Amino acid sequence: DIQMTQSPSTLSASIGDRVTIACRASQSISTWLAWYQQKPGKAPQLLIHGASNLETGVPSRFSGSGSGTEFTLTISSVQPDDFATYHCQQYDTYSAETFGQGTKVEFK
Amino acid sequence: QLQLHESGPGSVRPSETLSLTCSVSGGFISRSTEYWAWIRQAPGKGLEWLGSAAYRGGTYYNPSVQSRVTISVDASENEVALRLNSVTAADTATYYCARTRSSSWILLMAHWGQGVLVTVSS
């Protein structure tokens, strides 16, 4: 089974900060990696698929990179609407664990 | 605009069966090639994919719940159903219905319902 590990679990940031979230897969998943944003009490929203492809309507301050086992989500300049939890997900192979444990971006 | 709405009992007794329905509006399941999925999230925890099913065939389940879970697609009612047998407290979670981004990927969720909280308690 593929395991997904995110770091950090929590990240404190101020408005305008550049933040980076890491996601590691236990085996190569090529670029079959997605990022979701989830706000409290709401459903997740797909931000990025294919490791680096932004969904329509997602602000350009979000970017994704990586391939194989190492991936990152970057917010170039954090805005008030970006304080949320971010989940990475591999969609290469269905297994018991497809999502990372999540990274909460909180206001410093 | 596609909308998904989950419904069902908010509480289930241990050892019983959890049954939820996802009502689809803004699109017809019978015209879809994408997969319809259920994902859950225990309080304060991460997301867990339970399974995905396509109207045109093909059903995939998370190995960790495969023996207890059934997902069915009903085009006549434009609904997707989830059944989870023999529940325990560990099944307490918010359950989400979702549709995949395309027919190529059973796990890539582009559309989500708002979720429904189900508590397992006697």
Side-chain angles (χ1 to χ4, degrees):
Chain A
D1 274 7
I2 300 175
Q3 276 79 47
M4 306 299 294
T5 304
Q6 281 183 245
S7 61
S9 297
T10 305
L11 188 159
S12 298
S14 300
I15 302 299
D17 282 354
R18 178 184 181 89
V19 303
T20 299
I21 299 169
C23 180
R24 173 178 292 180
S26 61
Q27 65 190 67
S28 178
I29 56 170
S30 184
T31 56
W32 307 126
L33 191 282
W35 290 96
Y36 298 83
Q37 178 192 66
Q38 185 179 27
K39 296 180 180 178
K42 301 294 186 182
Q45 176 185 354
L46 179 62
L47 292 180
I48 290 171
H49 70 276
S52 61
N53 300 304
L54 264 62
E55 286 292 287
T56 301
V58 174
S60 59
R61 61 181 180 273
F62 289 91
S63 64
S65 64
S67 65
T69 62
E70 304 286 340
F71 302 88
T72 58
L73 172 69
T74 300
I75 310 173
S76 60
S77 176
V78 170
Q79 299 303 303
D81 193 47
D82 301 338
F83 293 104
T85 297
Y86 294 85
H87 306 272
C88 68
Q89 182 208 24
Q90 67 83 11
Y91 57 98
D92 178 59
T93 308
Y94 74 95
S95 64
E97 294 182 21
T98 64
F99 291 94
Q101 78 276 21
T103 295
K104 182 179 181 180
V105 176
E106 62 180 19
F107 185 71
K108 184 186 293 183
Chain B
Q1 181 180 353
L2 187 71
Q3 292 188 342
L4 310 177
H5 180 75
E6 304 90 344
S7 61
S11 180
V12 181
R13 297 185 184 279
S15 79
E16 295 189 345
T17 296
L18 181 159
S19 295
L20 297 175
T21 298
C22 173
S23 299
V24 178
S25 59
F28 292 101
I29 286 179
S30 61
R31 298 178 185 173
S32 71
T33 58
E34 297 85 354
Y35 285 84
W36 303 89
W38 287 92
I39 303 98
R40 69 182 179 181
Q41 186 172 35
K45 301 298 183 181
L47 299 165
E48 180 183 26
W49 169 74
L50 298 178
S52 300
Y55 168 67
R56 299 176 188 277
T59 306
Y60 301 86
Y61 296 124
N62 185 322
S64 70
V65 297
Q66 184 166 5
S67 63
R68 300 193 292 132
V69 69
T70 303
I71 295 174
S72 56
V73 178
D74 186 343
S76 65
E77 297 290 339
N78 226 36
E79 294 177 343
V80 184
L82 170 73
R83 287 176 58 88
L84 184 66
N85 302 327
S86 305
V87 298
T88 69
D91 295 309
T92 293
T94 295
Y95 287 75
Y96 294 100
C97 172
R99 195 192 79 176
T100 62
R101 193 178 188 278
S102 75
S103 59
S104 300
W105 305 107
I106 66 168
L107 298 173
L108 184 60
M109 312 303 167
H111 302 275
W112 296 68
Q114 84 286 354
V116 60
L117 176 63
V118 179
T119 301
V120 178
S121 172
S122 55

